[in-house]
Amino acid sequence: MRVRGGTEKEKLVRYRLRFVLQELDLPQGGTIIGRSLDCHLTLEDPLVSRRHARIVVDDSGARIEDMGSRNGVRVNGAVIRDPVSLRNGDRVRIGTQDFVFCCVDPAGNTHSRTTGQLRLCANCRLPYPRELLACPSCEATEQTDDDTLTGSDRVTAHVWNLQLMIESLERALRMARIEDAERIVQRAIVQAEEVIGAGSSLDAETLGGLSVQAVAMSLASGDPAWAHWVLDIHGRTGRIPPIDVTEQLAGVATQHRTLICDAIDELLRRVEASHDAAAGERPASDEPAVPAASETDEIEGLVRLRALRRTLHEAEALAAVAPKAARHLPTA
């Protein structure tokens, strides 16, 4: 991240943006945020547009507006359509970066504390100033090319990033921008794996949304790897894919039947083993269990997945028999 602008003494500063290890003073007038070096605040993030957003400070307060960015601006998790007034403590999301808007006492310390660009430690995944030779948290010297993740809760940051990437992936696929979509889905899968690798779990909505777009990516590109990952991640987490994902998988299987069939077999083996283990731990009860809505959806998803597996196995059997039948056709 780079900061460009005048000195702190030029105008009275009443507001700041807090960004991980930095605080940026917001002077009277407009502060443009984007990927371009011409912006007052430059973010090195591929999900940030060249001129992404503008924060305007005047006598009535501070407000933020989207400057026609591709991926939008979020304030407290909601995408803004029109200029929005900012209040103390508001969280602003631009690209994959989180900022906190702060009101400061005009009589207090108004100097910005900037540390230039940040890099991300490849070992502990915490950001630190590029001027340092090693990470101050773990003393590692290896950096990653990933963009800086912000916020004290890294898992929460990953989930936020995933939600934004899912929206971007859907948009890229809708516009048939396959190369862009491929880059986004690769980054999204890395984020998802890091959440799970940290011992946390993805909520069903986020995993389901990513799964839908990943399988759509396989359909658009002809590469079954994304669909295979969806089946694998559900198997490793003991979950059943949503019904719409299973319906998409049928399309992928028309070109990659054996690969998808084997992956579904492995998923069902894992899920059924997990369910059997969970059932053995439940206390016996005379009352019939009433499934929750989520359990009903899971049961329906399991039925659909088993039906798809049966269809694929039948197709495999027919394909194996067809060459033998052809050899026995009578000749003229």
Side-chain angles (χ1 to χ4, degrees):
M1 184 178 85
R2 295 189 182 94
V3 179
R4 183 178 68 84
T7 63
E8 293 82 9
K9 294 182 179 179
E10 290 178 346
K11 294 177 181 178
L12 179 63
V13 176
R14 294 180 296 160
Y15 306 105
R16 284 182 182 151
L17 276 184
R18 184 177 300 146
F19 175 74
V20 194
L21 307 176
Q22 309 182 85
E23 285 188 3
L24 170 68
D25 290 334
L26 296 172
Q28 292 275 321
T31 298
I32 297 176
I33 304 171
R35 202 174 68 249
S36 172
L37 294 177
D38 295 330
C39 295
H40 298 95
L41 176 59
T42 300
L43 300 176
E44 296 181 349
D45 184 330
L47 295 183
V48 173
S49 300
R50 290 182 59 82
R51 293 167 65 88
H52 197 110
R54 175 170 49 216
I55 296 178
V56 178
V57 174
D58 55 27
D59 293 339
S60 63
R63 59 187 179 277
I64 187 170
E65 57 188 21
D66 191 331
M67 298 181 68
S69 67
R70 180 183 303 169
N71 294 310
V73 177
R74 292 175 180 265
V75 176
N76 297 324
V79 178
I80 65 172
R81 307 297 180 189
D82 301 304
V84 171
S85 297
L86 293 172
R87 297 174 297 179
N88 188 44
D90 280 349
R91 298 182 64 86
V92 176
R93 160 65 62 107
I94 296 176
T96 61
Q97 314 302 319
D98 286 335
F99 300 85
V100 178
F101 177 78
C102 305
C103 298
V104 299
D105 183 358
N109 181 10
T110 60
H111 296 282
S112 64
R113 298 188 295 275
T114 60
T115 56
Q117 288 185 299
L118 300 180
R119 59 164 47 110
L120 197 64
C121 176
N123 182 49
C124 70
R125 307 294 297 175
L126 290 175
Y128 66 94
R130 287 182 182 272
E131 293 83 2
L132 300 181
L133 298 178
C135 173
S137 299
C138 67
E139 299 184 351
T141 58
E142 183 182 0
Q143 303 93 33
T144 175
D145 291 331
D146 293 346
D147 299 297
T148 301
L149 299 177
T150 63
S152 58
D153 189 338
R154 283 174 288 162
V155 171
T156 301
H158 283 318
V159 173
W160 271 68
N161 289 347
L162 270 173
Q163 292 169 350
L164 179 60
M165 288 178 189
I166 291 168
E167 295 175 6
S168 301
L169 179 56
E170 180 182 10
R171 189 178 303 112
L173 288 171
R174 189 169 59 247
M175 298 173 66
R177 296 170 56 175
I178 303 303
E179 291 185 0
D180 288 344
E182 186 171 19
R183 285 193 293 270
I184 296 171
V185 75
Q186 286 174 338
R187 294 184 64 212
I189 286 175
V190 169
Q191 296 275 343
E193 291 288 357
E194 289 186 354
V195 171
I196 294 171
S200 300
S201 62
L202 288 173
D203 63 275
E205 182 179 358
T206 300
L207 180 58
L210 177 57
S211 298
V212 167
Q213 299 308 322
V215 178
M217 182 68 204
S218 284
L219 290 170
S221 65
D223 185 349
W226 316 116
H228 188 275
W229 176 84
V230 168
L231 291 167
D232 179 66
I233 195 68
H234 279 82
R236 284 187 280 134
T237 56
R239 296 183 181 182
I240 298 296
I243 294 172
D244 48 355
V245 171
T246 300
E247 293 174 349
Q248 289 177 301
L249 287 168
V252 179
T254 59
Q255 300 296 323
H256 308 279
R257 184 175 59 232
T258 301
L259 178 69
I260 297 302
C261 187
D262 290 347
I264 291 175
D265 284 342
E266 178 62 16
L267 164 62
L268 288 174
R269 183 191 67 78
R270 289 178 170 181
V271 169
E272 288 165 355
S274 175
H275 285 195
D276 289 344
E281 295 176 357
R282 295 193 194 102
S285 174
D286 295 333
E287 296 294 329
V290 179
S294 59
E295 293 176 338
T296 301
D297 292 341
E298 185 172 315
I299 292 171
E300 178 63 23
L302 183 59
V303 170
R304 296 286 187 93
L305 195 62
R306 284 172 172 164
L308 176 58
R309 178 179 64 172
R310 184 168 56 253
T311 299
L312 295 179
H313 277 296
E314 290 172 353
E316 289 275 274
L318 288 174
V321 171
K324 298 179 181 179
R327 286 198 296 270
H328 290 85
L329 289 176
T331 57

